Short mmCIF file of all heavy atoms in Angstrom, two decimals:
data_model
loop_
_atom_site.label_atom_id
_atom_site.label_comp_id
_atom_site.label_asym_id
_atom_site.label_seq_id
_atom_site.Cartn_x
_atom_site.Cartn_y
_atom_site.Cartn_z
N MET A 968 -24.70 19.78 18.90
CA MET A 968 -24.15 18.69 18.09
C MET A 968 -25.10 17.51 18.11
O MET A 968 -25.54 17.04 19.15
CB MET A 968 -22.80 18.27 18.69
CG MET A 968 -22.10 17.19 17.88
SD MET A 968 -20.50 16.80 18.59
CE MET A 968 -20.35 15.10 18.07
N ALA A 969 -25.41 17.05 16.95
CA ALA A 969 -26.36 15.95 16.84
C ALA A 969 -25.71 14.64 17.29
O ALA A 969 -24.53 14.41 17.08
CB ALA A 969 -26.84 15.82 15.40
N VAL A 970 -26.51 13.83 17.94
CA VAL A 970 -25.99 12.55 18.40
C VAL A 970 -26.13 11.52 17.28
O VAL A 970 -27.20 11.32 16.75
CB VAL A 970 -26.75 12.06 19.65
CG1 VAL A 970 -26.29 10.66 20.04
CG2 VAL A 970 -26.54 13.03 20.79
N ASN A 971 -25.03 10.94 16.94
CA ASN A 971 -25.05 9.92 15.88
C ASN A 971 -25.13 8.55 16.53
O ASN A 971 -24.18 8.07 17.14
CB ASN A 971 -23.79 10.05 15.03
CG ASN A 971 -23.83 9.11 13.84
OD1 ASN A 971 -24.55 8.11 13.85
ND2 ASN A 971 -23.09 9.45 12.81
N LYS A 972 -26.26 7.92 16.41
CA LYS A 972 -26.46 6.63 17.09
C LYS A 972 -25.53 5.56 16.55
O LYS A 972 -25.10 4.69 17.27
CB LYS A 972 -27.92 6.17 16.93
CG LYS A 972 -28.85 6.90 17.88
CD LYS A 972 -30.27 6.43 17.73
CE LYS A 972 -31.19 7.22 18.64
NZ LYS A 972 -32.58 6.90 18.42
N LYS A 973 -25.21 5.66 15.27
CA LYS A 973 -24.37 4.63 14.67
C LYS A 973 -22.95 4.66 15.25
O LYS A 973 -22.28 3.66 15.30
CB LYS A 973 -24.32 4.79 13.15
CG LYS A 973 -25.53 4.20 12.47
CD LYS A 973 -25.40 4.27 10.97
CE LYS A 973 -26.65 3.71 10.30
NZ LYS A 973 -26.61 3.93 8.86
N ALA A 974 -22.51 5.85 15.67
CA ALA A 974 -21.16 5.97 16.20
C ALA A 974 -21.07 5.28 17.57
O ALA A 974 -20.01 4.83 17.96
CB ALA A 974 -20.75 7.42 16.31
N GLY A 975 -22.18 5.23 18.28
CA GLY A 975 -22.25 4.50 19.54
C GLY A 975 -21.14 4.87 20.51
O GLY A 975 -20.93 6.04 20.82
N SER A 976 -20.43 3.84 20.96
CA SER A 976 -19.45 4.03 22.01
C SER A 976 -18.20 4.76 21.53
O SER A 976 -17.28 4.97 22.28
CB SER A 976 -19.04 2.68 22.59
OG SER A 976 -18.44 1.90 21.58
N THR A 977 -18.15 5.10 20.27
CA THR A 977 -16.95 5.74 19.75
C THR A 977 -17.04 7.26 19.82
O THR A 977 -16.17 7.94 19.35
CB THR A 977 -16.71 5.32 18.29
OG1 THR A 977 -17.82 5.74 17.50
CG2 THR A 977 -16.53 3.83 18.18
N LYS A 978 -18.09 7.75 20.43
CA LYS A 978 -18.26 9.21 20.51
C LYS A 978 -17.06 9.88 21.15
O LYS A 978 -16.73 11.00 20.83
CB LYS A 978 -19.53 9.53 21.31
CG LYS A 978 -20.76 9.67 20.43
CD LYS A 978 -21.95 10.12 21.22
CE LYS A 978 -22.49 8.96 22.05
NZ LYS A 978 -23.72 9.30 22.77
N ARG A 979 -16.43 9.16 22.08
CA ARG A 979 -15.31 9.77 22.79
C ARG A 979 -14.13 10.06 21.87
O ARG A 979 -13.24 10.81 22.24
CB ARG A 979 -14.86 8.87 23.94
CG ARG A 979 -14.25 7.56 23.49
CD ARG A 979 -13.83 6.75 24.69
NE ARG A 979 -13.17 5.52 24.29
CZ ARG A 979 -13.80 4.41 23.97
NH1 ARG A 979 -15.11 4.37 24.02
NH2 ARG A 979 -13.14 3.35 23.60
N TYR A 980 -14.11 9.45 20.72
CA TYR A 980 -13.01 9.71 19.80
C TYR A 980 -13.11 11.11 19.19
O TYR A 980 -12.17 11.57 18.59
CB TYR A 980 -12.99 8.67 18.67
CG TYR A 980 -12.69 7.27 19.13
CD1 TYR A 980 -13.38 6.18 18.62
CD2 TYR A 980 -11.70 7.03 20.07
CE1 TYR A 980 -13.10 4.88 19.04
CE2 TYR A 980 -11.42 5.75 20.52
CZ TYR A 980 -12.12 4.68 20.00
OH TYR A 980 -11.84 3.41 20.42
N GLY A 981 -14.27 11.73 19.35
CA GLY A 981 -14.44 13.07 18.83
C GLY A 981 -14.42 13.10 17.32
O GLY A 981 -14.76 12.12 16.67
N ALA A 982 -14.02 14.22 16.79
CA ALA A 982 -14.09 14.40 15.34
C ALA A 982 -12.75 14.15 14.66
O ALA A 982 -12.54 14.53 13.52
CB ALA A 982 -14.58 15.81 15.04
N ARG A 983 -11.85 13.54 15.40
CA ARG A 983 -10.52 13.34 14.83
C ARG A 983 -10.52 12.31 13.71
O ARG A 983 -9.69 12.32 12.83
CB ARG A 983 -9.54 12.91 15.92
CG ARG A 983 -9.05 14.07 16.75
CD ARG A 983 -8.26 13.57 17.92
NE ARG A 983 -9.12 12.80 18.82
CZ ARG A 983 -8.66 12.05 19.80
NH1 ARG A 983 -7.37 11.95 20.02
NH2 ARG A 983 -9.48 11.39 20.59
N TYR A 984 -11.44 11.38 13.82
CA TYR A 984 -11.48 10.31 12.82
C TYR A 984 -12.75 10.44 12.00
O TYR A 984 -13.72 11.02 12.43
CB TYR A 984 -11.44 8.95 13.51
CG TYR A 984 -10.26 8.81 14.43
CD1 TYR A 984 -10.41 8.94 15.80
CD2 TYR A 984 -8.99 8.58 13.91
CE1 TYR A 984 -9.33 8.84 16.65
CE2 TYR A 984 -7.90 8.48 14.76
CZ TYR A 984 -8.07 8.60 16.12
OH TYR A 984 -7.00 8.50 16.95
N GLY A 985 -12.70 9.88 10.82
CA GLY A 985 -13.86 9.93 9.94
C GLY A 985 -15.02 9.12 10.50
O GLY A 985 -14.83 8.21 11.30
N LYS A 986 -16.21 9.47 10.06
CA LYS A 986 -17.41 8.81 10.55
C LYS A 986 -17.36 7.32 10.21
O LYS A 986 -17.71 6.46 11.01
CB LYS A 986 -18.62 9.46 9.90
CG LYS A 986 -19.94 8.86 10.33
CD LYS A 986 -21.06 9.49 9.52
CE LYS A 986 -22.31 8.63 9.61
NZ LYS A 986 -23.30 9.04 8.60
N ARG A 987 -16.93 7.01 9.02
CA ARG A 987 -16.92 5.62 8.59
C ARG A 987 -16.00 4.79 9.49
O ARG A 987 -16.32 3.69 9.90
CB ARG A 987 -16.43 5.55 7.14
CG ARG A 987 -16.68 4.19 6.50
CD ARG A 987 -16.40 4.23 5.02
NE ARG A 987 -17.39 5.06 4.33
CZ ARG A 987 -17.52 5.11 3.01
NH1 ARG A 987 -16.74 4.42 2.25
NH2 ARG A 987 -18.43 5.86 2.46
N LEU A 988 -14.85 5.35 9.80
CA LEU A 988 -13.89 4.65 10.65
C LEU A 988 -14.46 4.47 12.05
O LEU A 988 -14.29 3.43 12.68
CB LEU A 988 -12.59 5.45 10.70
CG LEU A 988 -11.41 4.75 11.38
CD1 LEU A 988 -10.98 3.54 10.56
CD2 LEU A 988 -10.24 5.71 11.51
N LYS A 989 -15.17 5.47 12.52
CA LYS A 989 -15.75 5.39 13.87
C LYS A 989 -16.78 4.28 13.95
O LYS A 989 -16.83 3.53 14.91
CB LYS A 989 -16.40 6.72 14.26
CG LYS A 989 -15.41 7.69 14.86
CD LYS A 989 -16.10 8.82 15.58
CE LYS A 989 -16.64 9.83 14.61
NZ LYS A 989 -17.21 10.99 15.28
N VAL A 990 -17.59 4.19 12.91
CA VAL A 990 -18.62 3.14 12.90
C VAL A 990 -17.95 1.77 12.89
O VAL A 990 -18.32 0.87 13.63
CB VAL A 990 -19.54 3.30 11.67
CG1 VAL A 990 -20.47 2.10 11.54
CG2 VAL A 990 -20.35 4.58 11.79
N LYS A 991 -16.91 1.64 12.09
CA LYS A 991 -16.20 0.38 12.00
C LYS A 991 -15.56 0.02 13.35
O LYS A 991 -15.65 -1.10 13.82
CB LYS A 991 -15.13 0.49 10.92
CG LYS A 991 -14.69 -0.85 10.38
CD LYS A 991 -13.66 -0.65 9.27
CE LYS A 991 -13.06 -1.98 8.87
NZ LYS A 991 -11.94 -1.80 7.96
N ALA A 992 -14.93 0.99 13.97
CA ALA A 992 -14.30 0.76 15.26
C ALA A 992 -15.35 0.38 16.29
O ALA A 992 -15.12 -0.46 17.15
CB ALA A 992 -13.53 2.01 15.70
N GLY A 993 -16.51 1.00 16.19
CA GLY A 993 -17.59 0.70 17.13
C GLY A 993 -18.04 -0.73 17.01
O GLY A 993 -18.28 -1.41 18.01
N LEU A 994 -18.12 -1.22 15.80
CA LEU A 994 -18.54 -2.60 15.59
C LEU A 994 -17.52 -3.56 16.19
O LEU A 994 -17.88 -4.54 16.84
CB LEU A 994 -18.67 -2.89 14.08
CG LEU A 994 -19.85 -2.23 13.38
CD1 LEU A 994 -19.78 -2.48 11.89
CD2 LEU A 994 -21.17 -2.73 13.94
N ILE A 995 -16.25 -3.27 15.99
CA ILE A 995 -15.21 -4.13 16.54
C ILE A 995 -15.24 -4.08 18.06
O ILE A 995 -15.14 -5.09 18.73
CB ILE A 995 -13.83 -3.71 15.99
CG1 ILE A 995 -13.78 -3.96 14.48
CG2 ILE A 995 -12.72 -4.47 16.69
CD1 ILE A 995 -12.62 -3.29 13.78
N GLU A 996 -15.41 -2.89 18.60
CA GLU A 996 -15.47 -2.74 20.06
C GLU A 996 -16.62 -3.54 20.63
O GLU A 996 -16.46 -4.26 21.61
CB GLU A 996 -15.67 -1.27 20.43
CG GLU A 996 -14.36 -0.54 20.53
CD GLU A 996 -14.51 0.71 21.37
OE1 GLU A 996 -15.63 1.03 21.79
OE2 GLU A 996 -13.48 1.36 21.58
N ASN A 997 -17.78 -3.42 20.02
CA ASN A 997 -18.93 -4.16 20.51
C ASN A 997 -18.66 -5.65 20.47
O ASN A 997 -19.06 -6.38 21.37
CB ASN A 997 -20.16 -3.83 19.66
CG ASN A 997 -20.67 -2.44 19.94
OD1 ASN A 997 -20.36 -1.87 20.99
ND2 ASN A 997 -21.42 -1.88 19.03
N GLN A 998 -17.96 -6.06 19.45
CA GLN A 998 -17.69 -7.48 19.29
C GLN A 998 -16.83 -8.01 20.44
O GLN A 998 -17.07 -9.09 20.97
CB GLN A 998 -16.95 -7.70 17.97
CG GLN A 998 -17.23 -9.06 17.37
CD GLN A 998 -16.49 -9.22 16.05
OE1 GLN A 998 -15.87 -8.29 15.55
NE2 GLN A 998 -16.53 -10.39 15.49
N TYR A 999 -15.84 -7.25 20.85
CA TYR A 999 -14.97 -7.81 21.87
C TYR A 999 -15.42 -7.49 23.28
O TYR A 999 -14.94 -8.07 24.23
CB TYR A 999 -13.50 -7.48 21.61
CG TYR A 999 -12.98 -6.13 22.02
CD1 TYR A 999 -12.72 -5.87 23.37
CD2 TYR A 999 -12.67 -5.17 21.08
CE1 TYR A 999 -12.19 -4.65 23.74
CE2 TYR A 999 -12.14 -3.95 21.44
CZ TYR A 999 -11.90 -3.69 22.79
OH TYR A 999 -11.38 -2.49 23.15
N LYS A 1000 -16.39 -6.58 23.39
CA LYS A 1000 -16.92 -6.30 24.73
C LYS A 1000 -18.01 -7.29 25.10
O LYS A 1000 -18.24 -7.57 26.26
CB LYS A 1000 -17.46 -4.87 24.79
CG LYS A 1000 -16.37 -3.87 25.05
CD LYS A 1000 -16.91 -2.47 25.08
CE LYS A 1000 -15.79 -1.47 25.28
NZ LYS A 1000 -16.24 -0.10 25.04
N GLN A 1001 -18.68 -7.79 24.09
CA GLN A 1001 -19.75 -8.74 24.35
C GLN A 1001 -19.18 -10.10 24.71
O GLN A 1001 -18.13 -10.48 24.23
CB GLN A 1001 -20.63 -8.87 23.10
CG GLN A 1001 -21.61 -7.76 22.97
CD GLN A 1001 -22.30 -7.78 21.61
OE1 GLN A 1001 -22.10 -8.69 20.83
NE2 GLN A 1001 -23.11 -6.77 21.37
N ARG A 1002 -19.92 -10.81 25.53
CA ARG A 1002 -19.53 -12.18 25.82
C ARG A 1002 -19.77 -13.03 24.59
O ARG A 1002 -20.76 -12.88 23.91
CB ARG A 1002 -20.35 -12.71 27.00
CG ARG A 1002 -19.82 -12.17 28.31
CD ARG A 1002 -20.70 -12.52 29.47
NE ARG A 1002 -20.11 -11.99 30.69
CZ ARG A 1002 -19.36 -12.71 31.51
NH1 ARG A 1002 -19.13 -13.97 31.26
NH2 ARG A 1002 -18.85 -12.17 32.58
N GLN A 1003 -18.85 -13.92 24.36
CA GLN A 1003 -18.97 -14.75 23.17
C GLN A 1003 -19.03 -16.22 23.53
O GLN A 1003 -18.78 -16.61 24.66
CB GLN A 1003 -17.78 -14.45 22.25
CG GLN A 1003 -17.81 -13.00 21.81
CD GLN A 1003 -16.75 -12.68 20.78
OE1 GLN A 1003 -16.58 -13.41 19.82
NE2 GLN A 1003 -16.04 -11.60 20.99
N LYS A 1004 -19.37 -16.98 22.55
CA LYS A 1004 -19.60 -18.40 22.77
C LYS A 1004 -18.28 -19.15 22.93
O LYS A 1004 -17.36 -18.98 22.16
CB LYS A 1004 -20.36 -18.96 21.56
CG LYS A 1004 -21.17 -20.18 21.88
CD LYS A 1004 -21.98 -20.54 20.65
CE LYS A 1004 -22.89 -21.71 20.87
NZ LYS A 1004 -23.62 -22.05 19.64
N CYS A 1005 -18.23 -19.99 23.94
CA CYS A 1005 -17.02 -20.76 24.20
C CYS A 1005 -16.95 -21.95 23.25
O CYS A 1005 -17.92 -22.70 23.14
CB CYS A 1005 -17.05 -21.25 25.65
SG CYS A 1005 -15.67 -22.35 26.04
N PRO A 1006 -15.82 -22.12 22.58
CA PRO A 1006 -15.69 -23.26 21.67
C PRO A 1006 -15.55 -24.59 22.40
O PRO A 1006 -15.63 -25.66 21.81
CB PRO A 1006 -14.43 -22.94 20.86
CG PRO A 1006 -13.65 -22.01 21.71
CD PRO A 1006 -14.65 -21.26 22.56
N TYR A 1007 -15.33 -24.54 23.72
CA TYR A 1007 -15.15 -25.78 24.50
C TYR A 1007 -16.44 -26.24 25.14
O TYR A 1007 -16.83 -27.40 25.00
CB TYR A 1007 -14.07 -25.57 25.56
CG TYR A 1007 -12.71 -25.27 24.94
CD1 TYR A 1007 -12.26 -23.96 24.81
CD2 TYR A 1007 -11.91 -26.31 24.46
CE1 TYR A 1007 -11.04 -23.69 24.22
CE2 TYR A 1007 -10.69 -26.05 23.87
CZ TYR A 1007 -10.26 -24.75 23.75
OH TYR A 1007 -9.06 -24.47 23.15
N CYS A 1008 -17.12 -25.34 25.86
CA CYS A 1008 -18.34 -25.77 26.56
C CYS A 1008 -19.60 -25.27 25.87
O CYS A 1008 -20.70 -25.59 26.29
CB CYS A 1008 -18.31 -25.31 28.02
SG CYS A 1008 -18.44 -23.51 28.23
N ARG A 1009 -19.43 -24.45 24.82
CA ARG A 1009 -20.56 -23.98 24.01
C ARG A 1009 -21.48 -23.03 24.76
O ARG A 1009 -22.59 -22.77 24.35
CB ARG A 1009 -21.39 -25.15 23.48
CG ARG A 1009 -20.61 -26.10 22.59
CD ARG A 1009 -20.52 -25.58 21.18
NE ARG A 1009 -19.49 -26.29 20.42
CZ ARG A 1009 -19.01 -25.87 19.25
NH1 ARG A 1009 -19.46 -24.77 18.73
NH2 ARG A 1009 -18.08 -26.54 18.62
N LYS A 1010 -21.02 -22.55 25.91
CA LYS A 1010 -21.83 -21.57 26.63
C LYS A 1010 -21.32 -20.18 26.32
O LYS A 1010 -20.13 -19.98 26.04
CB LYS A 1010 -21.78 -21.84 28.13
CG LYS A 1010 -22.62 -23.04 28.52
CD LYS A 1010 -22.36 -23.41 29.96
CE LYS A 1010 -23.09 -24.70 30.30
NZ LYS A 1010 -22.61 -25.30 31.53
N VAL A 1011 -22.20 -19.22 26.42
CA VAL A 1011 -21.81 -17.85 26.15
C VAL A 1011 -21.25 -17.25 27.42
O VAL A 1011 -21.98 -16.78 28.29
CB VAL A 1011 -23.01 -17.02 25.64
CG1 VAL A 1011 -22.58 -15.58 25.36
CG2 VAL A 1011 -23.56 -17.66 24.37
N GLY A 1012 -19.94 -17.34 27.57
CA GLY A 1012 -19.33 -16.81 28.78
C GLY A 1012 -17.91 -16.38 28.53
O GLY A 1012 -17.13 -16.22 29.46
N VAL A 1013 -17.58 -16.17 27.29
CA VAL A 1013 -16.20 -15.86 26.95
C VAL A 1013 -15.99 -14.35 26.88
O VAL A 1013 -16.74 -13.64 26.22
CB VAL A 1013 -15.82 -16.50 25.59
CG1 VAL A 1013 -14.43 -16.06 25.16
CG2 VAL A 1013 -15.88 -18.02 25.71
N LYS A 1014 -14.99 -13.92 27.61
CA LYS A 1014 -14.63 -12.51 27.57
C LYS A 1014 -13.16 -12.39 27.22
O LYS A 1014 -12.37 -13.26 27.55
CB LYS A 1014 -14.85 -11.86 28.94
CG LYS A 1014 -16.28 -11.45 29.18
CD LYS A 1014 -16.42 -10.83 30.54
CE LYS A 1014 -16.11 -9.35 30.51
NZ LYS A 1014 -16.35 -8.71 31.82
N ARG A 1015 -12.83 -11.28 26.61
CA ARG A 1015 -11.42 -11.05 26.31
C ARG A 1015 -10.72 -10.65 27.61
O ARG A 1015 -11.11 -9.70 28.27
CB ARG A 1015 -11.28 -9.94 25.27
CG ARG A 1015 -9.95 -10.00 24.54
CD ARG A 1015 -9.77 -8.82 23.64
NE ARG A 1015 -9.56 -7.61 24.44
CZ ARG A 1015 -8.95 -6.52 24.00
NH1 ARG A 1015 -8.52 -6.46 22.78
NH2 ARG A 1015 -8.80 -5.48 24.78
N VAL A 1016 -9.71 -11.38 28.01
CA VAL A 1016 -9.00 -11.05 29.24
C VAL A 1016 -7.76 -10.22 28.97
O VAL A 1016 -7.28 -9.50 29.83
CB VAL A 1016 -8.63 -12.32 30.04
CG1 VAL A 1016 -9.88 -12.99 30.55
CG2 VAL A 1016 -7.82 -13.29 29.21
N ALA A 1017 -7.23 -10.32 27.77
CA ALA A 1017 -6.11 -9.49 27.34
C ALA A 1017 -6.12 -9.49 25.83
O ALA A 1017 -6.88 -10.24 25.22
CB ALA A 1017 -4.78 -10.04 27.86
N ILE A 1018 -5.29 -8.66 25.24
CA ILE A 1018 -5.30 -8.61 23.78
C ILE A 1018 -4.89 -9.97 23.24
O ILE A 1018 -3.81 -10.48 23.54
CB ILE A 1018 -4.37 -7.50 23.27
CG1 ILE A 1018 -5.00 -6.14 23.61
CG2 ILE A 1018 -4.15 -7.62 21.76
CD1 ILE A 1018 -4.15 -4.96 23.22
N GLY A 1019 -5.79 -10.57 22.49
CA GLY A 1019 -5.51 -11.86 21.88
C GLY A 1019 -5.75 -13.05 22.79
O GLY A 1019 -5.58 -14.19 22.39
N ILE A 1020 -6.14 -12.78 24.04
CA ILE A 1020 -6.38 -13.89 24.97
C ILE A 1020 -7.82 -13.83 25.46
O ILE A 1020 -8.30 -12.79 25.90
CB ILE A 1020 -5.42 -13.83 26.17
CG1 ILE A 1020 -3.97 -13.89 25.67
CG2 ILE A 1020 -5.69 -15.00 27.14
CD1 ILE A 1020 -2.96 -13.69 26.77
N TRP A 1021 -8.50 -14.94 25.39
CA TRP A 1021 -9.90 -15.04 25.75
C TRP A 1021 -10.09 -16.06 26.85
O TRP A 1021 -9.40 -17.08 26.89
CB TRP A 1021 -10.72 -15.44 24.51
CG TRP A 1021 -10.59 -14.44 23.40
CD1 TRP A 1021 -9.54 -14.33 22.55
CD2 TRP A 1021 -11.48 -13.40 23.06
NE1 TRP A 1021 -9.75 -13.27 21.69
CE2 TRP A 1021 -10.93 -12.70 21.98
CE3 TRP A 1021 -12.73 -13.00 23.57
CZ2 TRP A 1021 -11.57 -11.60 21.40
CZ3 TRP A 1021 -13.37 -11.91 22.99
CH2 TRP A 1021 -12.79 -11.23 21.92
N GLY A 1022 -11.00 -15.75 27.74
CA GLY A 1022 -11.24 -16.68 28.83
C GLY A 1022 -12.72 -16.97 28.97
O GLY A 1022 -13.56 -16.08 28.82
N CYS A 1023 -13.03 -18.22 29.28
CA CYS A 1023 -14.42 -18.62 29.46
C CYS A 1023 -14.75 -18.63 30.95
O CYS A 1023 -14.05 -19.27 31.74
CB CYS A 1023 -14.66 -20.00 28.86
SG CYS A 1023 -16.32 -20.61 29.17
N GLY A 1024 -15.78 -17.90 31.33
CA GLY A 1024 -16.18 -17.84 32.72
C GLY A 1024 -16.95 -19.06 33.17
O GLY A 1024 -17.17 -19.27 34.36
N LYS A 1025 -17.39 -19.88 32.23
CA LYS A 1025 -18.20 -21.05 32.57
C LYS A 1025 -17.33 -22.27 32.85
O LYS A 1025 -17.51 -22.97 33.84
CB LYS A 1025 -19.18 -21.36 31.44
CG LYS A 1025 -20.04 -20.19 31.01
CD LYS A 1025 -21.14 -19.90 32.00
CE LYS A 1025 -21.98 -18.70 31.53
NZ LYS A 1025 -22.96 -18.28 32.53
N CYS A 1026 -16.39 -22.56 31.93
CA CYS A 1026 -15.57 -23.76 32.10
C CYS A 1026 -14.12 -23.40 32.44
O CYS A 1026 -13.33 -24.28 32.72
CB CYS A 1026 -15.64 -24.62 30.84
SG CYS A 1026 -14.83 -23.90 29.41
N GLY A 1027 -13.79 -22.12 32.42
CA GLY A 1027 -12.46 -21.70 32.82
C GLY A 1027 -11.41 -21.84 31.74
O GLY A 1027 -10.23 -21.62 31.99
N ALA A 1028 -11.82 -22.18 30.55
CA ALA A 1028 -10.85 -22.34 29.46
C ALA A 1028 -10.26 -20.99 29.07
O ALA A 1028 -10.95 -19.97 29.07
CB ALA A 1028 -11.54 -22.98 28.26
N LYS A 1029 -8.98 -21.02 28.80
CA LYS A 1029 -8.33 -19.82 28.28
C LYS A 1029 -7.70 -20.19 26.95
O LYS A 1029 -7.07 -21.23 26.82
CB LYS A 1029 -7.25 -19.31 29.24
CG LYS A 1029 -7.81 -18.42 30.32
CD LYS A 1029 -6.74 -17.49 30.88
CE LYS A 1029 -7.34 -16.50 31.86
NZ LYS A 1029 -7.70 -17.16 33.11
N PHE A 1030 -7.87 -19.34 26.01
CA PHE A 1030 -7.32 -19.66 24.70
C PHE A 1030 -6.99 -18.38 23.96
O PHE A 1030 -7.45 -17.29 24.32
CB PHE A 1030 -8.30 -20.51 23.90
CG PHE A 1030 -9.72 -20.02 23.98
CD1 PHE A 1030 -10.21 -19.13 23.04
CD2 PHE A 1030 -10.55 -20.47 25.00
CE1 PHE A 1030 -11.52 -18.68 23.12
CE2 PHE A 1030 -11.87 -20.01 25.09
CZ PHE A 1030 -12.34 -19.12 24.15
N THR A 1031 -6.19 -18.51 22.95
CA THR A 1031 -5.79 -17.35 22.17
C THR A 1031 -6.73 -17.18 20.99
O THR A 1031 -7.35 -18.12 20.52
CB THR A 1031 -4.35 -17.49 21.66
OG1 THR A 1031 -4.25 -18.70 20.94
CG2 THR A 1031 -3.36 -17.49 22.80
N GLY A 1032 -6.82 -15.97 20.56
CA GLY A 1032 -7.64 -15.67 19.39
C GLY A 1032 -7.11 -14.42 18.76
O GLY A 1032 -6.00 -13.99 19.05
N LYS A 1033 -7.90 -13.83 17.94
CA LYS A 1033 -7.50 -12.57 17.35
C LYS A 1033 -7.60 -11.48 18.41
O LYS A 1033 -8.30 -11.64 19.41
CB LYS A 1033 -8.40 -12.24 16.17
CG LYS A 1033 -8.17 -13.17 14.99
CD LYS A 1033 -9.14 -12.82 13.88
CE LYS A 1033 -8.98 -13.79 12.72
NZ LYS A 1033 -10.04 -13.58 11.72
N ALA A 1034 -6.94 -10.38 18.16
CA ALA A 1034 -6.88 -9.32 19.15
C ALA A 1034 -8.27 -8.79 19.50
O ALA A 1034 -8.56 -8.50 20.65
CB ALA A 1034 -6.01 -8.19 18.63
N TYR A 1035 -9.15 -8.66 18.52
CA TYR A 1035 -10.42 -8.02 18.78
C TYR A 1035 -11.62 -8.93 18.55
O TYR A 1035 -12.75 -8.54 18.71
CB TYR A 1035 -10.55 -6.74 17.95
CG TYR A 1035 -9.48 -5.75 18.33
CD1 TYR A 1035 -8.41 -5.49 17.49
CD2 TYR A 1035 -9.53 -5.11 19.57
CE1 TYR A 1035 -7.42 -4.61 17.86
CE2 TYR A 1035 -8.54 -4.23 19.94
CZ TYR A 1035 -7.49 -3.98 19.09
OH TYR A 1035 -6.50 -3.11 19.47
N SER A 1036 -11.35 -10.16 18.16
CA SER A 1036 -12.44 -11.12 18.08
C SER A 1036 -11.82 -12.50 18.25
O SER A 1036 -10.62 -12.66 18.11
CB SER A 1036 -13.17 -11.02 16.75
OG SER A 1036 -12.34 -11.48 15.71
N MET A 1037 -12.61 -13.47 18.55
CA MET A 1037 -12.06 -14.79 18.81
C MET A 1037 -11.64 -15.49 17.53
O MET A 1037 -10.90 -16.44 17.56
CB MET A 1037 -13.07 -15.65 19.54
CG MET A 1037 -13.41 -15.12 20.91
SD MET A 1037 -14.17 -16.36 21.95
CE MET A 1037 -15.18 -17.22 20.81
N GLY A 1038 -12.19 -15.03 16.43
CA GLY A 1038 -11.89 -15.69 15.17
C GLY A 1038 -12.61 -17.01 15.06
O GLY A 1038 -12.33 -17.82 14.21
N VAL A 1039 -13.59 -17.22 15.94
CA VAL A 1039 -14.38 -18.44 15.93
C VAL A 1039 -15.83 -18.04 15.83
O VAL A 1039 -16.30 -17.21 16.59
CB VAL A 1039 -14.17 -19.27 17.21
CG1 VAL A 1039 -15.05 -20.52 17.18
CG2 VAL A 1039 -12.72 -19.63 17.38
N LYS A 1040 -16.53 -18.57 14.87
CA LYS A 1040 -17.93 -18.22 14.74
C LYS A 1040 -18.79 -19.41 15.04
O LYS A 1040 -18.50 -20.50 14.57
CB LYS A 1040 -18.22 -17.70 13.32
CG LYS A 1040 -17.54 -16.40 13.02
CD LYS A 1040 -18.26 -15.22 13.68
CE LYS A 1040 -17.44 -13.94 13.56
NZ LYS A 1040 -17.98 -12.82 14.24
ZN1 ZN B 1911 -16.31 -22.64 28.26
#
């Protein structure tokens, strides 16, 4: 089986879902796994602590956002 680099971390989903959906899910996953910029201290230290809840490791701020992204760019 050829490895599809675009599918990335979604390989575990197997072939149950379409390729397009897997790529899309992968993008969303990467978005919420990566540390993001804190809207309070402007440092990149924000991680999702729960669905819809984000916490900043630098200033300790906790705030709500979208389930899979902060909704703040
Ligand atoms: Zn912060």
Side-chain angles (χ1 to χ4, degrees):
M968 183 178 152
V970 174
N971 186 337
K972 281 181 183 174
K973 279 185 182 173
S976 62
T977 61
K978 268 185 285 184
R979 67 179 183 276
Y980 294 138
R983 280 172 295 168
Y984 305 102
K986 180 186 163 193
R987 193 171 292 191
L988 188 66
K989 274 196 283 185
V990 171
K991 201 178 172 189
L994 289 174
I995 294 166
E996 274 201 356
N997 288 340
Q998 209 180 354
Y999 81 76
K1000 277 179 182 168
Q1001 280 170 6
R1002 282 173 179 264
Q1003 298 186 47
K1004 205 174 183 182
C1005 175
Y1007 297 97
C1008 68
R1009 300 278 165 194
K1010 285 171 186 164
V1011 180
V1013 174
K1014 278 180 86 175
R1015 201 186 70 156
V1016 293
I1018 290 177
I1020 301 173
W1021 300 79
C1023 175
K1025 307 285 180 187
C1026 69
K1029 275 204 174 72
F1030 44 92
T1031 55
K1033 291 178 183 172
Y1035 298 107
S1036 70
M1037 296 198 322
V1039 178
K1040 294 283 171 185

